DNA sequence: ATATTTATGTTATATTATTACACAGCGTTA
DNA sequence: TAACGCTGTGTAATAATATAACATAAATAT
């Protein structure tokens, strides 16, 4: 079981914005959008983003420096993430595949080492862009 | 078979530096190190990095904004990369596992979509840091 | 109630990456 | 050879992403 995190005001504002967005949002675009709500400085945004990532409410798309809400209910901690990214329209989708998760969670390298966390980004063309 | 790419002067200087490094190098650290060789501006570095990534001589570690030389002879194009990253000492190792490559290259999502490229980053503690 | 931790607000600054423009070298081809 | 396309170079300026440092407030624990 996981502790339910009650979001603070800034965290809630920023999460709501990302959650409503149909595409990954960048930090300064988030900042621009929440300035009317009193969040004025980059650091306020980054602090909220850090926390939201930490508790698994959002994920960072590393190759794009952008953030999307997690829609995978089983993923309350940001320790195992996989995305597909369209190289034309930049649509990003979180991949939720039991097989893939299982394979990666159990993956051991040559030295028999297992890892506590991973991030996987697939690139290609989405249906629309083919 | 792949065309052999002859590196240009700037590309060669920057590749040599990254190749000799025991750890991933960041763009501005590269810049600092090659200034004595006449490469003075960030853009000169980024242009060389872009090309080196494109032809698979180096890879970008997205979560760290850093670059490492490819030591995987089979990987002449940057389309399928996997790394392990130690969260304490930041040691990065390229993972070369036939099983993993095969699994990911053949991975299809729910819609049966296959991808042309992927990047996977595993996080954990290396042997020394355990 | 006090200590501790977590979050906030603000200013300044560091770090990472790109735009825009001028020009040089090289192979093609007309 | 000259005109063209392509790739790479040099330089200055700037954009975009992220953090440091410091002061204060709110929430939680002892």
């Amino acid at each position: 079981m996981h502790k339910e995190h009650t979001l603070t005001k800034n965290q809630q504002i920023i999460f709501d914005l990302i959650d409503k967005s149909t595409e990954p949002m960048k930090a300064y675009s988030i900042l621009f959008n929440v300035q009317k709500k009193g969040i004025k400085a980059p650091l306020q945004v980054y602090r909220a983003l850090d926390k939201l990532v930490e508790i698994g409410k959002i994920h960072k798309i590393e190759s794009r420096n952008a953030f999307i809400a997690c829609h995978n209910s089983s993923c309350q901690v940001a320790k195992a993430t996989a995305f597909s990214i369209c190289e034309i329209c930049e649509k990003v989708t979180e991949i939720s595949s039991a097989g893939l998760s299982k394979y990666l969670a159990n993956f051991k390298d040559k030295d028999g080492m297992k890892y506590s966390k991973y991030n996987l980004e697939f690139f290609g063309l989405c249906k629309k862009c083919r």
Side-chain angles (χ1 to χ4, degrees), chain A:
Chain A
M1 274 311 252
H2 278 280
K3 175 170 181 274
E4 273 308 312
H5 286 272
T6 309
L7 301 184
T8 65
K9 182 166 143 285
N10 287 1
Q11 288 161 12
Q12 190 69 58
I13 290 169
I14 287 171
F15 175 72
D16 287 346
L17 179 67
I18 297 171
D19 193 40
K20 278 187 313 223
S21 173
T22 57
E23 55 188 21
M25 293 196 75
K26 300 188 149 231
Y28 276 71
S29 154
I30 292 167
L31 175 59
F32 178 80
N33 276 277
V34 297
Q35 275 177 331
K36 46 182 165 293
K37 304 218 171 176
I39 296 175
K40 292 171 194 158
L43 192 45
Q44 293 176 289
V45 172
Y46 281 105
R47 283 197 283 224
L49 290 174
D50 285 351
K51 189 68 186 184
L52 290 168
V53 166
E54 186 192 325
I55 65 181
K57 299 282 287 182
I58 65 173
H59 302 302
K60 181 171 188 180
I61 310 302
E62 293 286 356
S63 66
R64 300 300 188 256
N65 298 317
F67 300 84
I68 64 169
C70 177
H71 291 303
N72 179 349
S73 58
S74 68
C75 163
Q76 296 200 13
V77 170
K79 66 178 204 289
T81 50
F83 306 96
S84 74
I85 302 172
C86 174
E87 290 184 294
I88 291 181
C89 73
E90 292 291 327
K91 181 176 164 58
V92 173
T93 309
E94 187 166 0
I95 293 173
S96 160
S97 155
L100 180 65
S101 316
K102 202 168 179 181
Y103 185 89
L104 292 177
N106 292 317
F107 178 77
K108 288 177 196 162
D109 69 18
K110 279 176 182 160
D111 303 327
M113 162 116 186
K114 277 183 77 175
Y115 298 94
S116 57
K117 214 166 115 181
Y118 65 79
N119 179 57
L120 171 58
E121 298 179 8
F122 280 109
F123 304 91
L125 302 185
C126 72
K127 277 183 180 173
K128 283 187 183 170
C129 293
R130 293 200 151 256

